[in-house]
Amino acid sequence: MYQYDQHDQKLVDQRSQEFRQQVSRRLSGLISEDEFKPLRLMNGLYLQLHAYMLRVAIPYGVLSSAQMRKLAYIADRYDRGYGHFTTRQNIQFNWPALVDTPDILDELASIQMHAIQTSGNCIRNITTDPFAGVAADEEVDPRPLAELLRQWSTLHPEFRYLPRKFKFAITGSANDRAAIKVHDIGLRLKSGADGKVLVDIWLGGGQGRTPKIAQLFRENVSITELLPYLEATMRVYNRYGRRDNKYKARIKILLAEVGLAELQAEVEEVFSKIDKSRFEPVEAELSRLDSRFIKPLYHEIPEDENPEPDEPANLAVSLTGTSDLNAPVAHEYNRWLERNVKQHKQHGYAIVVVSLKRIEGIPGDASADEMREFASIADDYSHSELRVTHRQNVVLPHVKQTDLASVWQRLSDANLATSNIDLPSDIIACPGMDYCALATARSIPVAQEIAAHIRAKEKVTSVGDLSVNISGCINACAHHHVANIGILGLDRGGVENYQITLGGRSDENARIGERMGRGLLASEIAPAVDRIIDVYLDKRQLTETFSDTYQRIGKAAFKDSIYGDDHAIQTA
Amino acid sequence: MQYRLLSSGGEVRLVDDEWVNAAITIALQTELETGDNYALEKLVSSEQVLLIEFQSVADGRGFSSAAELRENDGYKGLLYACGRLNPDQLTLAFQCGFDGMVVDEQGWVSYGEAAWQQALKPVVDSGYAQTRWNAIDSIWMLRGAAVR
Ligand code: SF4
């Protein structure tokens, strides 16, 4: 993990001190809410439906156990005992009092965290692969560069008042788990022929009203040219991105209006004139960062030794006294190994994903007690490190395979062993009408209903990876456009109405889902999702994923399953 | 009308319409094809003062225009920000290459002298990637210096 030095610390301390003055000016009435608004937004403080909401950055999704404990403390002391993990590797607190927010920022600063640039029209928290540095399929560890970009973008004087917010995502693996193609800029790190890192820049992806898949903007950029090139790109966007209409202000619209070739040419021109010497300290800084992301001291396990995770049967024996592989406990454990445990770079180790999509739970919510339990399990079994994912789950990145049974036991005792990672019930849902001031419909209760509906099916069929995402309005915070099954909650004359899109995906072959017909009522959604999954199970060939089947057979069969006879009549 | 000219040294000077009119105000264009209205060859050598106007507090184009003028076009003369800006943006203006800000009576009064004075001595000083126009070294420069 990255450790702050005195400069990093001073910066967050000063920021927090500055915000304290601003809050006190607001509380004493010296400034109006209108004048306060841009100031609080710079510090991640939103005004929601019922209260203020504070959004805290978890840079590139990495947390120490100490940081997780502090988040638990903040949840208890200043909120209602909960925190909500978002799709952008942030955590939100939904009930802080304005007067407490400077204290919360101080608490955060004390553990090297902050809420800087988690809102407003600036460069937001940089997100990356939640398995960065540990994934077996990784080419380049994206974390040092992610930290470099965090520093570069933090309080960058030129880019604090952009036409609109700006999101970066980075991956260093061919299997994109960071959804880089639906970000304003996505960076794909590759290892070049001479061992030097090269970067492909994808530009203009995004969701919201006008979903777009990013285009390859510049290939094979060297690390030394990357920052000046990004600075040139941001400079062009800041100058020419539209400011007359906030729905047309993202860089994806500039790209669409100006065209790829012309935008590239303009950026090249600015880039050619940028004084690269200004970025000279960057190389030294990157190697400093590289050295600060030290590999945890893994227990070296000889390659010829194969430390299998503890057998389900053994676990059944130790817990129930029976060696029956069909004992419920062995069965549960087995399912968890299958769904929640991923392959690690280091021989003898595994990555454990903890699902925050429990039965009847709120997707992405964790209580303070659960956060403390995460911290404690991480201390005992994962080198005190945790990650949060854009699918709103938590990761224990360095677990010894021989410890898997113990970890499962601990999680299971805390009701945290739901084994549904990447299954349909691992739903991404935004806060929707329950918390969000912009919402046009509820998303949490609908997600809960779908999950309740399809859990049984997940258990008896081998449905496999299938993403279901629900957004409570057109802003698409839950990334419904790029879900296999996407659901968008709208308002039609005071009644919630849900639109379904199918066939989307957010990986390296990202696609925008296709819209089906008319919207459905809240009560119709769960059964419809169930029928859509049935069509897939019925039509898929061999190992086809949902997207594969959808591409092959097309929209019709799925659409029929949603609308049934009703649809047949309409289209007859 | 009178204006306050706030400069990086912390100085506040009164200037009038005549001063403002004598300066060249750059109108920022919104279309990429048209570019801005200045003929640089003339400006780079001119003795005149340049102003970049900000149309609203949220419109940060001028920050990039200043950086572009300084860095890409090599403009060495005096450059001030004017228009709708707030005290918190003064530091950014310095960091992007402005010599200061021209504040009209309305802006001066609505934020209050105290806020402007405080903005001239900002709490947040060093950032990571500050440009060279800021008198203060960036954090990356400081770290580099510590290594050497
Ligand atoms: S998608 Fe809409 S309702 Fe959901 S969190 Fe985003 S803005 Fe709020």
Side-chain angles (χ1 to χ4, degrees):
Chain A
M1 281 202 52
Y2 178 68
Q3 293 291 321
Y4 277 13
D5 69 358
Q6 89 244 31
H7 300 291
D8 303 298
Q9 191 64 51
K10 187 169 160 209
L11 189 137
V12 294
D13 287 345
Q14 285 176 333
R15 195 75 192 160
S16 157
Q17 193 188 331
E18 180 190 53
F19 189 58
R20 187 174 292 280
Q21 292 169 0
Q22 292 164 345
V23 169
S24 90
R25 273 189 270 158
R26 172 73 196 111
L27 288 170
S28 63
L30 267 176
I31 52 174
S32 66
E33 167 55 26
D34 268 1
E35 287 164 325
F36 182 54
K37 186 175 169 186
L39 307 177
R40 66 169 161 77
L41 286 180
M42 288 285 171
N43 290 284
L45 191 64
Y46 284 77
L47 196 51
Q48 292 284 67
L49 270 188
H50 315 289
Y52 282 104
M53 178 271 277
L54 181 69
R55 183 182 293 154
V56 177
I58 302 173
Y60 36 94
V62 181
L63 277 177
S64 68
S65 52
Q67 289 172 325
M68 187 64 108
R69 274 197 192 90
K70 183 63 90 176
L71 295 176
Y73 170 81
I74 291 171
D76 265 342
R77 168 96 202 263
Y78 300 105
D79 199 296
R80 298 185 178 175
Y82 280 89
H84 178 77
F85 291 99
T86 76
T87 52
R88 294 215 73 257
Q89 297 178 317
N90 294 309
I91 182 169
Q92 294 179 180
F93 293 107
N94 284 315
W95 302 100
L98 178 58
V99 58
D100 289 334
T101 51
D103 290 342
I104 302 178
L105 292 190
D106 279 349
E107 297 282 3
L108 290 170
S110 77
I111 42 133
Q112 314 190 343
M113 290 182 80
H114 60 75
I116 299 167
Q117 289 173 214
T118 56
S119 59
N121 293 335
C122 52
I123 299 174
R124 302 290 188 88
N125 189 25
I126 314 278
T127 56
T128 187
D129 186 345
F131 302 160
V134 293
D137 60 11
E138 186 170 270
E139 237 176 281
V140 180
D141 181 352
R143 289 171 304 166
L145 186 70
E147 173 60 23
L148 185 76
L149 288 181
R150 181 191 75 84
Q151 297 187 5
W152 165 72
S153 59
T154 297
L155 308 185
H156 194 302
E158 207 180 317
F159 309 129
R160 297 268 284 284
Y161 295 89
L162 295 170
R164 199 80 175 91
K165 59 189 167 185
F166 204 96
K167 298 175 180 176
F168 276 84
I170 314 179
T171 182
S173 162
N175 300 308
D176 176 10
R177 285 172 290 261
I180 66 162
K181 292 190 186 168
V182 285
H183 282 77
D184 295 287
I185 287 186
L187 303 176
R188 162 78 164 97
L189 312 189
K190 307 179 298 188
S191 116
D194 53 357
K196 289 233 161 95
V197 174
L198 295 175
V199 186
D200 287 348
I201 300 177
W202 292 78
L203 183 135
Q207 313 217 25
R209 245 159 246 256
T210 327
K212 295 268 188 221
I213 300 297
Q215 300 187 43
L216 183 56
F217 197 70
R218 200 178 203 259
E219 223 171 346
N220 299 327
V221 180
S222 71
I223 284 289
T224 43
E225 294 206 311
L226 183 66
L227 281 193
Y229 194 82
L230 292 177
E231 188 137 318
T233 311
M234 297 306 297
R235 189 170 286 176
V236 171
Y237 169 59
N238 193 29
R239 286 289 287 104
Y240 299 106
R242 284 181 64 171
R243 291 174 187 265
D244 57 331
N245 178 342
K246 76 175 199 174
Y247 301 116
K248 296 191 188 300
R250 299 289 285 267
I251 200 169
K252 63 189 173 189
I253 305 291
L254 181 66
L255 175 63
E257 288 182 353
V258 172
L260 181 64
E262 187 172 347
L263 194 58
Q264 282 168 328
E266 184 68 23
V267 170
E268 282 305 324
E269 184 176 346
V270 173
F271 173 65
S272 71
K273 291 188 194 156
I274 279 189
D275 175 5
K276 317 288 185 299
S277 70
R278 186 152 67 80
F279 295 90
E280 257 162 31
V282 166
E283 256 191 289
E285 181 58 17
L286 194 62
S287 61
R288 188 187 75 92
L289 291 173
D290 254 326
S291 70
R292 297 199 78 141
F293 279 93
I294 23 174
K295 237 169 62 158
L297 286 173
Y298 293 123
H299 181 80
E300 288 296 333
I301 295 156
E303 286 293 333
D304 51 356
E305 235 175 76
N306 225 349
E308 284 304 319
D310 205 5
E311 286 296 319
N314 294 343
L315 194 77
V317 175
S318 71
L319 290 178
T320 63
T322 147
S323 61
D324 180 4
L325 248 181
N326 286 321
V329 55
H331 188 74
E332 277 299 313
Y333 176 59
N334 215 10
R335 254 189 93 67
W336 180 81
L337 286 179
E338 229 170 72
R339 293 308 321 178
N340 296 37
V341 176
K342 311 283 173 191
Q343 210 187 341
H344 201 286
K345 234 179 203 177
Q346 177 75 20
H347 181 65
Y349 279 75
I351 303 167
V352 168
V353 189
V354 183
S355 170
L356 288 182
K357 320 295 170 66
R358 281 137 316 162
I359 299 171
E360 297 189 347
I362 295 177
D365 265 18
S367 70
D369 285 340
E370 287 165 344
M371 291 185 222
R372 275 184 287 266
E373 185 60 10
F374 287 139
S376 148
I377 297 175
D379 279 340
D380 295 345
Y381 298 107
S382 179
H383 294 266
S384 301
E385 190 181 323
L386 294 147
R387 309 281 178 88
V388 295
T389 79
H390 91 275
R391 292 206 66 87
Q392 302 178 286
N393 294 314
V394 172
V395 172
L396 297 159
H398 320 282
V399 178
K400 256 197 256 168
Q401 288 191 7
T402 47
D403 285 338
L404 283 168
S406 316
V407 168
W408 178 79
Q409 191 60 62
R410 287 276 293 274
L411 291 170
S412 183
D413 291 345
N415 185 27
L416 287 167
T418 310
S419 45
N420 65 345
I421 294 305
D422 295 333
L423 289 177
S425 66
D426 183 6
I427 297 173
I428 298 184
C430 76
M433 197 71 107
D434 292 277
Y435 295 101
C436 178
L438 303 171
T440 42
R442 293 166 305 154
S443 41
I444 293 169
V446 179
Q448 288 166 332
E449 215 182 302
I450 297 172
H453 218 88
I454 54 184
R455 262 175 216 275
K457 180 164 285 157
E458 283 174 4
K459 291 209 164 142
V460 296
T461 64
S462 55
V463 50
D465 294 6
L466 199 164
S467 54
V468 180
N469 300 4
I470 309 179
S471 304
C473 82
I474 191 85
N475 287 325
C477 297
H479 305 177
H480 66 272
H481 295 296
V482 288
N484 297 158
I485 302 178
I487 299 162
L488 163 63
L490 296 169
D491 174 283
R492 289 271 176 271
V495 181
E496 289 166 318
N497 188 276
Y498 295 84
Q499 254 173 25
I500 295 187
T501 50
L502 294 182
R505 56 199 289 181
S506 64
D507 60 3
E508 60 284 0
N509 299 311
R511 290 180 79 94
I512 305 293
E514 272 186 293
R515 231 170 87 181
M516 298 293 112
R518 67 171 169 82
L520 302 177
L521 297 174
S523 60
E524 295 172 319
I525 283 289
V529 168
D530 198 32
R531 292 196 300 273
I532 292 166
I533 295 176
D534 280 342
V535 174
Y536 162 58
L537 290 176
D538 183 42
K539 305 279 186 194
R540 77 168 163 196
Q541 293 174 352
L542 302 168
T543 57
E544 263 186 354
T545 63
F546 183 90
S547 322
D548 297 337
T549 306
Y550 186 84
Q551 281 334 304
R552 183 171 55 77
I553 70 171
K555 185 170 175 174
F558 291 99
K559 200 166 168 183
D560 284 346
S561 80
I562 301 174
Y563 303 105
D565 291 348
D566 185 15
H567 163 66
I569 292 164
Q570 278 176 13
T571 54
Chain B
M1 192 131 110
Q2 71 176 14
Y3 303 84
R4 263 92 179 171
L5 189 64
L6 313 190
S7 303
S8 51
E11 176 202 354
V12 181
R13 181 155 75 94
L14 282 174
V15 293
D16 55 13
D17 279 327
E18 203 182 322
W19 185 92
V20 171
N21 291 336
I24 300 173
T25 305
I26 295 180
L28 300 180
Q29 300 300 314
T30 48
E31 299 295 324
L32 211 153
E33 298 86 62
T34 44
D36 294 323
N37 72 339
Y38 49 83
L40 261 164
E41 314 76 65
K42 274 195 264 161
L43 297 179
V44 171
S45 55
S46 91
E47 299 284 298
Q48 261 161 320
V49 172
L50 285 192
L51 301 180
I52 290 180
E53 189 177 356
F54 287 70
Q55 294 180 358
S56 79
V57 162
D59 184 347
R61 284 179 296 159
F63 295 121
S64 279
S65 299
E68 203 170 304
L69 259 177
R70 291 289 192 209
E71 183 169 44
N72 298 18
D73 305 325
Y75 178 66
K76 302 253 175 2
L78 285 171
L79 179 65
Y80 288 93
C82 65
R84 304 264 72 83
L85 283 157
N86 70 30
D88 292 281
Q89 291 170 314
L90 188 57
T91 314
L92 308 186
F94 292 143
Q95 291 174 346
C96 290
F98 286 105
D99 293 298
M101 208 187 260
V102 182
V103 182
D104 63 14
E105 195 60 28
Q106 193 200 335
W108 184 257
V109 172
S110 76
Y111 292 103
E113 175 168 359
W116 289 109
Q117 288 291 358
Q118 195 179 8
L120 282 165
K121 330 179 199 62
V123 179
V124 175
D125 47 15
S126 285
Y128 293 99
Q130 274 154 332
T131 48
R132 64 170 86 181
W133 305 287
N134 191 14
I136 306 158
D137 283 346
S138 74
I139 290 175
W140 285 342
M141 289 152 119
L142 292 170
R143 280 181 183 146
V147 171
R148 279 195 296 275

